Amino acid sequence: MITIGKCPYRVSLLGGSSDLDWFVKEKGFGACLGFSLNHYSYSVINILPANAKKGILEYSTREIYSSINDIVHPIVREALIEINKSRFIELKTFGFASGGSGLGGSSSFVISLLSSLYAAFEIKINAKQIIEKACFIEINKLKKPIGKQDQYLCANKGINSFTFLDNNKVKENYLSKNMLTTLRRLANDFYLIPTHKTRNADTVLSNIRSNPKSLDQILEIRSIASKFLSFEDDRDSNIEELFHNSMRDSWEIKKSMSNVMTKTLSEQYEEIKKLIPNNWIRLIGAGRGGYFLVSTKLQKDQINKFSNQKCIKGIFKATISDEGLSILRV
């Protein structure tokens, strides 16, 4: 039997960077608001016969392994160590975006991989446990300078908000029905634009931590997110106004942070602003590449008329996923 783990990518809206492990430990908590994206990582697992002497791993390259500890891919190696089964596997992975793309690609991948492995070996585990094991592998085992927002936003369907506490606990924040309805309506205006730049997100995040100004900047970002999440006025127009203001204010802070923007990205950002009438544009993820997220009232057919422009080549609608983490068996 073939087992397929499927996990969405994510789009972070507010609170980004305040989930970082070091910030949460120093300042007590972080917060995030975002949604799972209708694009996915897939991990396809076939357990090989008991007499197999080697396993086969195909991702961006191909590995044949005879010992788990010799596996080059760090996430695959640690996931198999976590599963702790002696049988060899055949693994094939497929995905829309890689780690470092700004869409939570690394976390989406590790969650899809773990879910397919647990299902293939018939180990009972729930989604929350898979998310936490993904966090443990990335943060504790592989020492990535990240937080938990990617794993939680990727694996949970739709729009979500979480608070990350310094006791390693995660609290799901309540979003009123009117707030969710308004955010879903506003998300219909969201598009993602590839920067066509590659970057090492871990390096960017490490540089953010080493910059003495970062702490105060992240505190401001957290404050903006907290103010929006605690907003009690359920009028659609007021939620919309505060959301757009929060996105703009948060981006102005993020844009000024060290190593977020480059000269080339700044030029692309300005070109997009001239071409597409918008509420706001921001670079999502750690910075220095990935995708711009833009909120615009332009319809898809209007955007298609000038989609050959270099600055927006590859633009697509940022549609919310209502699936979340899932398992398929064939």
Side-chain angles (χ1 to χ4, degrees):
M1 180 179 288
I2 302 295
T3 306
I4 304 170
K6 177 182 177 183
C7 183
Y9 297 102
R10 67 93 183 104
V11 170
S12 173
L13 297 173
L14 294 173
S17 296
S18 73
D19 69 306
L20 295 173
D21 196 50
W22 64 268
F23 178 84
V24 171
K25 287 176 179 176
E26 188 161 342
K27 292 300 177 181
F29 75 95
C32 77
L33 173 71
F35 62 88
S36 57
L37 183 67
N38 190 26
H39 287 80
Y40 305 88
S41 292
Y42 298 88
S43 294
V44 183
I45 300 287
N46 176 36
I47 299 177
L48 296 174
N51 61 355
K53 302 298 183 184
K54 294 178 186 279
I56 304 167
L57 310 172
E58 293 187 20
Y59 40 98
S60 56
T61 186
R62 178 183 170 95
E63 280 193 69
I64 297 177
Y65 73 98
S66 55
S67 169
I68 290 174
N69 290 324
D70 293 336
I71 293 173
V72 174
H73 195 299
I75 288 177
V76 177
R77 181 181 65 245
E78 295 302 330
L80 286 171
I81 289 172
E82 180 67 32
I83 295 295
N84 193 28
K85 294 291 182 180
S86 58
R87 291 278 290 274
F88 288 102
I89 67 163
E90 182 179 11
L91 166 69
K92 291 190 178 183
T93 67
F94 306 89
F96 169 78
S98 63
S101 66
L103 299 177
S106 176
S107 298
S108 172
F109 169 61
V110 69
I111 291 170
S112 74
L113 175 61
L114 284 171
S115 63
S116 61
L117 284 170
Y118 280 114
F121 284 104
E122 299 183 340
I123 302 170
K124 290 186 178 180
I125 188 170
N126 61 40
K128 175 70 179 298
Q129 290 171 315
I130 290 176
I131 294 169
E132 278 299 320
K133 286 184 180 295
C135 293
F136 181 77
I137 286 174
E138 292 200 85
I139 297 171
N140 298 90
K141 298 295 291 293
L142 299 180
K143 305 299 181 185
K144 288 179 171 287
I146 62 173
K148 293 184 174 184
Q149 80 156 351
D150 287 1
Q151 297 87 348
Y152 274 84
L153 290 176
C154 283
N156 288 280
K157 64 183 180 181
I159 301 170
N160 287 285
S161 173
F162 299 96
T163 295
F164 308 99
L165 304 170
D166 62 357
N167 59 5
N168 212 34
K169 291 186 177 181
V170 178
K171 179 174 74 74
E172 185 174 0
N173 297 321
Y174 170 76
L175 299 174
S176 71
K177 183 179 179 180
N178 281 5
M179 181 173 282
L180 282 171
T181 300
T182 302
L183 289 173
R184 277 188 172 272
R185 177 178 61 79
L186 296 176
N188 286 328
D189 299 333
F190 293 172
Y191 289 82
L192 284 164
I193 301 171
T195 64
H196 303 291
K197 304 291 184 298
T198 58
R199 53 87 189 269
N200 186 316
D202 292 354
T203 300
V204 176
L205 289 169
S206 294
N207 289 338
I208 287 174
R209 182 176 184 178
S210 64
N211 190 309
K213 295 181 180 179
S214 294
L215 189 61
D216 287 338
Q217 291 169 320
I218 297 174
L219 279 170
E220 288 184 70
I221 289 171
R222 186 185 72 178
S223 176
I224 291 168
S226 296
K227 181 180 177 182
F228 178 78
L229 293 171
S230 62
F231 192 55
E232 295 183 351
D233 188 332
D234 258 357
R235 286 174 291 183
D236 179 272
S237 59
N238 289 350
I239 294 172
E240 177 175 354
E241 181 181 12
L242 180 59
F243 175 75
H244 287 319
N245 287 338
S246 299
M247 290 295 292
R248 284 188 286 264
D249 293 345
S250 183
W251 169 237
E252 286 303 314
I253 298 165
K254 187 71 175 286
K255 188 169 61 171
S256 69
M257 292 176 73
S258 174
N259 294 293
V260 168
M261 293 290 277
T262 63
K263 182 176 182 293
T264 305
L265 288 173
S266 295
E267 289 171 353
Q268 184 179 0
Y269 174 75
E270 293 300 328
E271 287 174 3
I272 296 169
K273 281 174 64 177
K274 292 175 184 176
L275 195 62
I276 301 179
N278 63 83
N279 296 303
W280 42 263
I281 305 168
R282 60 161 298 162
L283 188 67
I284 61 174
R288 294 186 73 81
Y291 292 82
F292 283 109
L293 177 67
V294 57
S295 169
T296 176
K297 290 294 183 184
L298 285 185
Q299 297 302 304
K300 192 173 182 179
D301 58 341
Q302 295 174 292
I303 288 176
N304 285 341
K305 290 178 181 178
F306 47 78
S307 60
N308 61 340
Q309 297 287 327
K310 184 179 179 182
C311 67
I312 67 164
K313 193 172 183 179
I315 187 171
F316 62 96
K317 205 165 181 60
T319 303
I320 296 172
S321 168
D322 286 317
E323 289 186 58
L325 171 62
S326 60
I327 300 291
L328 301 91
R329 290 183 174 90
V330 294

